[in-house]
Amino acid sequence: MEENKELLENSEEVVSKNFIEQIIEKDIEEGHYDHIMTRFPPEPNGYLHIGHAKSILLNYGLAQKYGGKFNLRFDDTNPTKEKTEFVNSIKADVEWLGADFEDRLYFASDYFEYMYEGAIKLIKKGKAFVCDLSADEIREYRGSLTEPGKNSPYRDRSIEENLDLFERMKNGEFEDGSKVLRAKIDMSSPNINMRDPVIYRVARMTHHNTGDKWCIYPMYDFAHPIEDAIEGVTHSICTLEFEDHRPLYDWVVKELEYDQPPKQIEFAKLYLTNVVTGKRYIKKLVDDGIVDGWDDPRLVTISALRRRGFTPESIKNFVELCGVSKANSSVDYAMLEYCIREDLKLKKSRMMAILDPIKLIIDNYEDGKVEYLDADNNLENPELGKRQIPFSKELYIEREDFMEEPPKKYFRLFPGNEVRLMNAYFVKCTSFVKDENGVVTEVHCTYDPETKSGSGFEGRKVKGTIHWVSAKEAVPVEIRLYENIVDEEKGKLNEDGTLNLNPNSLTVLKNCYVEPNLAQAKPGDSFQFVRQGFFCVDTKDSTEDNLVFNRIVSLKSSFKIAK
């Protein structure tokens, strides 16, 4: 406790504390806890998304800041939707984000015996009873926001009868749904969650961790506070939808008489525009084959962001910019894109890639000659060094960099115009060739050998610079371009409740070329492609013989942040 106080006194604050930090520091100063412990408690029923990243980094960051510990705990109390696949994906995501849980990995199912004993304790205290009402009848008896509920006809069963029935529930003597264990609190409470909530149900389900050992399972609102208390969690930080559940959380830890009960604190969820975060919707996209899995780069699951090429640092920066508050709000997806651009712009080499190629032939360049030109990997970061790129008579350029009849202020190639080839020479367009459909297939030009990049053209100006790759040495690749999978401006949902999908969310370009320096790129490697954006080698589909690049983000941003 003294160490925590000293940490607070010696820390230099450069920004104001959020409300959670203020609560924790007050608890430390008043001596309520002799240590700080937080946890991230996902249910393993799907893959984590960007909103979960905020919770992970918040909980881990608080533990780090106050010299405490951080637990990763799976709230696996509902076997119907839980899979080992999801457990493994969540562990990988948390580790990738840098939240170190070391040997502090737990499962709610490890505590099933404690939860059962807790239920017995409540029955013996007269605080829980076995109820035979059906689920529909329980809802009917519960009342409404304006009307109080009414007591179950089974509420006054004796302690002995409840103990006997609950044990028989555990032993599998009753059908699924025929009996439940309910807390005995107050059916007239203004908080519906306190109207004798169900805390155990009969359910014959095979559990991913405990197999068929149990045929009764605790409800989340009963299990969660017990898990926190057993582990010694001090601050149980969750999102705002659990605010109305906090009285039940406090009731459970009080009635089970834990010496140092945890404190539940709620914060606002992270809502991101033009994305899909609901597990039900993501699962349907996966099941219907609209995306190629939970890690499809059009999604914002953490595994999808990782596959697309986002970095842990960019997500941490994004979460910090979003801040922590009690008020729900939405964040523009452009802010997340801003964060990855900021993270990559000084880290990555700027390479040349042609996405829509057209051949450029330099008529006065020697046939068969190949020369190697120096190029900076990143002009803004000289520490990334230089590389050499091959130059020859036949090149590929972007189709949009040539126009037969250009508009005003078009400074790229057109008949009679001269441009600079990046890191190479000045070239002047002399002619072009079309196929039988009128599509330009070749652009012909001449080059000036005295204009090699960096020398020989003092006083001579060109207004356009274009990038290129040498046709013979270029590496053919597949490139995938992404847009938001839904468009909220048109409405995220259709009238029938289905997602309003963007038909252009994925564009696959097959006949693309990159400079040969990228031939050895490995899955997960990322680069800036000149004028095109930041790209990452796909970790799922890319092979040595067929490189696949995902565009992480374009270079243009509509998002501005105050400095």
Side-chain angles (χ1 to χ4, degrees), residues 11 14 44 74 120 128 150 177 193 218 231 271 289 298 312 333 399 424 427 458 488 515:
S11 63
V14 294
F74 289 95
I120 294 292
K150 58 183 180 179
N193 295 296
E231 292 174 13
Y271 291 99
R298 288 168 289 178
Y333 183 78
R399 184 169 295 277
V427 295
E458 285 189 20
E488 288 188 354
E515 60 176 88

Side-chain angles (χ1 to χ4, degrees), residues 76-79 109 112-113 115-117 119-120 123 130 163 165-181 199-207 210-219 222:
D76 54 346
T77 59
N78 183 14
S109 53
F112 280 169
E113 288 285 353
M115 295 173 192
Y116 179 75
E117 291 171 4
I120 294 292
I123 293 173
V130 174
L163 288 171
L165 289 171
F166 188 52
E167 182 176 3
R168 291 167 63 190
M169 286 170 61
K170 178 177 76 77
N171 292 338
E173 294 185 26
F174 303 114
E175 294 298 317
D176 290 9
S178 61
K179 288 184 181 355
V180 294
L181 184 70
I199 58 176
Y200 258 97
R201 80 279 199 199
V202 178
R204 287 168 176 78
M205 299 179 287
T206 299
H207 193 282
T210 59
D212 296 320
K213 180 180 178 180
W214 295 89
C215 65
I216 57 170
Y217 289 97
M219 304 300 288
F222 178 66

Side-chain angles (χ1 to χ4, degrees), residues 38-324:
T38 61
R39 84 290 171 270
F40 175 63
E43 183 181 356
N45 62 356
Y47 282 56
L48 302 181
H49 57 66
I50 185 68
H52 295 112
K54 178 176 180 178
S55 182
I56 293 166
L57 295 171
L58 173 60
N59 278 283
Y60 182 69
L62 291 169
Q64 292 290 102
K65 180 171 184 175
Y66 297 108
K69 295 181 178 180
F70 167 81
N71 294 352
L72 171 60
R73 181 186 67 238
F74 289 95
D75 269 328
D76 54 346
T77 59
N78 183 14
T80 55
K81 299 179 180 179
E82 297 165 355
K83 296 180 181 179
T84 302
E85 172 195 352
F86 299 143
V87 170
N88 292 334
S89 74
I90 290 170
K91 287 164 62 178
D93 290 344
V94 175
E95 289 174 346
W96 179 73
L97 284 171
D100 184 6
F101 50 89
E102 298 180 3
D103 57 348
R104 308 193 65 79
L105 173 64
Y106 302 101
F107 291 85
S109 53
D110 293 336
Y111 310 136
F112 280 169
E113 288 285 353
Y114 294 98
M115 295 173 192
Y116 179 75
E117 291 171 4
I120 294 292
K121 184 171 184 175
L122 291 181
I123 293 173
K124 288 181 177 180
K125 292 177 68 173
K127 298 290 186 177
F129 66 98
V130 174
C131 183
D132 295 1
L133 292 178
S134 68
D136 288 339
E137 289 171 331
I138 289 175
R139 275 191 291 273
E140 182 184 341
Y141 274 60
R142 186 177 291 135
S144 67
L145 293 173
T146 56
E147 296 178 351
K150 58 183 180 179
N151 290 344
S152 164
Y154 308 100
R155 196 176 197 266
D156 295 325
R157 277 174 164 157
S158 68
I159 290 174
E160 291 73 19
E161 184 181 5
N162 283 317
L163 288 171
D164 175 64
L165 289 171
F166 188 52
E167 182 176 3
R168 291 167 63 190
M169 286 170 61
K170 178 177 76 77
N171 292 338
E173 294 185 26
F174 303 114
E175 294 298 317
D176 290 9
S178 61
K179 288 184 181 355
V180 294
L181 184 70
R182 297 174 64 181
K184 188 186 292 187
I185 307 178
D186 181 4
M187 289 303 294
S188 63
S189 172
N191 186 335
I192 292 180
N193 295 296
M194 299 297 281
R195 296 180 186 176
D196 293 2
V198 174
I199 58 176
Y200 258 97
R201 80 279 199 199
V202 178
R204 287 168 176 78
M205 299 179 287
T206 299
H207 193 282
H208 76 96
N209 193 27
T210 59
D212 296 320
K213 180 180 178 180
W214 295 89
C215 65
I216 57 170
Y217 289 97
M219 304 300 288
Y220 177 88
D221 279 347
F222 178 66
H224 193 81
I226 294 175
E227 298 157 30
D228 286 343
I230 289 173
E231 292 174 13
V233 169
T234 56
H235 297 84
S236 182
I237 299 163
C238 56
T239 45
L240 278 179
E241 69 263 33
F242 292 100
E243 188 170 28
D244 289 341
H245 297 247
R246 192 198 321 150
L248 179 54
Y249 183 102
D250 293 341
W251 183 90
V252 171
V253 294
K254 178 184 176 184
E255 293 298 337
L256 293 181
E257 302 171 23
Y258 289 104
D259 292 335
Q260 199 174 52
K263 176 181 291 187
Q264 179 174 303
I265 306 171
E266 308 86 18
F267 69 99
K269 267 186 175 181
L270 173 57
Y271 291 99
L272 202 57
T273 61
N274 295 318
V275 301
V276 179
T277 54
K279 288 180 183 177
R280 175 168 62 91
Y281 291 117
I282 296 176
K283 184 177 185 300
K284 183 166 177 56
L285 290 173
V286 173
D287 292 345
D288 291 350
I290 295 170
V291 296
D292 72 354
W294 290 82
D295 62 350
D296 187 291
R298 288 168 289 178
L299 302 175
V300 287
T301 59
I302 296 175
S303 58
L305 292 169
R306 180 164 68 247
R307 179 180 170 191
R308 183 157 172 177
F310 280 77
T311 61
E313 293 79 10
S314 67
I315 294 176
K316 289 174 187 174
N317 187 32
F318 173 68
V319 168
E320 288 175 3
L321 288 175
C322 290
V324 179

Side-chain angles (χ1 to χ4, degrees), residues 32 238 310 376 379 394 445 466:
H32 293 307
C238 56
F310 280 77
D376 291 298
L379 283 170
E394 295 189 1
C445 64
I466 64 175

Side-chain angles (χ1 to χ4, degrees), residues 50 270-277 298 300 318 329-337 483-489 492 558-559:
I50 185 68
L270 173 57
Y271 291 99
L272 202 57
T273 61
N274 295 318
V275 301
V276 179
T277 54
R298 288 168 289 178
V300 287
F318 173 68
S329 60
S330 294
V331 178
D332 195 328
Y333 183 78
M335 183 170 164
L336 180 59
E337 293 181 317
E483 295 180 9
N484 293 329
I485 199 164
V486 294
D487 188 347
E488 288 188 354
E489 291 184 4
K492 182 180 284 190
S558 60
F559 177 76

